[in-house]
Amino acid sequence: MAANRDDVFEALAQDPSVADVLLAGYRLGITFGSDACMNALGAHYYLGDIFEQDFAKAKELYQMAVDHGNLQSLINLGYIYEYGRTGKPDFQKAYECYSLAAALAPSFEAAYKLGDMYARGKAVDRDMHRALMLWERSLELSQDVAERAQPAIRIAQLLVDPECGTWGIDADPLRALKLFQDTEVGLRIDIADGQYYYKNRLREAIEGQEVARSLVEEEDSDLDY
């Protein structure tokens, strides 16, 4: 997939009219009822990577794909609502999208997004135990290091949070260090694949390693006495 993506952007750099050919191809697929084409075109409008960014079109295509049974579009629609891409944020609708996607099929993405809702207290009461449980479930469902990065950084940040004890969660800087390292690897893969919006999160993962490492060293020094 990464090679195909690179090929597309290389072709676009040489001939911008390639975008028109791609759009025609997606529209043809949509005419034949392809939910994959609906979701893919919606994603391009959401990201603005090939076509001009248009959240309204993205939402329309995601909803169309959902109506055709596309579960990834259900999650993507959740992002539209959660971040208020076409109006004010609607956390209840976002929660419903993520919950339904998680209920219909195991999904690492739906699981960590549900965890986020509980961690932030959006549409539900804040519950860090449930958030951690959902992030751990997402980690279990992750199929490669890139997918692992998203739940990993969330768990790692929680395990070094000075307030984790107030939630009845034991700090674990050594595990956090490993998770931050896993996150760095996964995010570097994503960024190399063109997902540049993860650069800030990559910085968080690198800085998190330093925090976790210093806490591990403190624990080691305490054992010397």
Side-chain angles (χ1 to χ4, degrees):
M1 292 296 291
N4 292 337
R5 182 184 177 89
D6 291 343
D7 290 344
V8 168
F9 283 105
E10 183 177 349
L12 282 168
Q14 297 177 3
D15 183 0
S17 68
V18 169
D20 295 330
V21 176
L22 287 172
L23 183 58
Y26 282 128
R27 286 176 172 170
L28 180 62
I30 291 171
T31 299
F32 285 98
S34 171
D35 61 281
C37 286
M38 297 168 193
N39 179 68
L41 183 56
H44 286 308
Y45 279 126
Y46 186 93
L47 296 172
D49 53 357
I50 294 178
F51 312 111
E52 184 177 356
Q53 192 170 55
D54 190 325
F55 292 127
K57 287 183 179 179
K59 181 181 180 181
E60 180 182 354
L61 286 159
Y62 287 154
Q63 185 61 65
M64 190 185 303
V66 168
D67 293 341
H68 283 74
N70 190 294
L71 294 183
Q72 181 59 51
S73 273
L74 187 55
I75 297 171
N76 293 344
L77 198 57
Y79 285 97
I80 294 283
Y81 289 123
E82 181 181 359
Y83 297 107
R85 298 305 191 194
T86 57
K88 292 183 179 180
D90 190 328
F91 300 116
Q92 184 60 44
K93 285 187 177 179
Y95 177 77
E96 290 171 2
C97 288
Y98 300 142
S99 295
L100 182 57
L104 291 173
S107 166
F108 90 98
E109 189 173 6
Y112 80 71
K113 290 304 297 179
L114 275 176
D116 290 352
M117 301 295 280
Y118 280 100
R120 299 167 185 165
K122 302 298 185 182
V124 290
D125 291 335
R126 192 174 189 225
D127 187 332
M128 294 307 298
H129 273 285
R130 183 161 293 187
L132 179 58
M133 178 185 69
L134 286 161
W135 292 336
E136 294 283 12
R137 176 58 176 158
S138 177
L139 200 63
E140 293 174 2
L141 293 170
S142 301
Q143 297 183 5
D144 55 46
V145 68
E147 289 187 356
R148 183 179 174 85
Q150 296 306 320
I153 192 169
R154 288 160 166 79
I155 296 170
Q157 289 173 332
L158 180 58
L159 296 180
V160 295
D161 191 316
E163 296 185 6
C164 68
T166 65
W167 303 313
I169 297 170
D170 294 332
D172 191 341
L174 186 58
R175 185 184 179 214
L177 177 58
K178 176 63 168 59
L179 290 172
F180 279 129
Q181 290 169 337
D182 290 347
T183 298
E184 180 181 356
V185 174
L187 292 180
R188 288 191 183 281
I189 291 172
D190 283 335
I191 293 169
D193 192 34
Q195 300 179 62
Y196 304 115
Y197 44 84
Y198 282 137
K199 286 186 175 180
N200 287 337
R201 179 132 289 191
L202 175 61
R203 185 178 65 254
E204 291 178 7
I206 294 171
E207 293 173 351
Q209 290 176 50
E210 295 304 313
V211 172
R213 190 173 289 108
S214 66
L215 291 173
V216 170
E217 290 173 352
E218 286 180 16
E219 289 184 350
D220 290 344
S221 63
D222 290 342
L223 293 175
D224 292 337
Y225 291 96

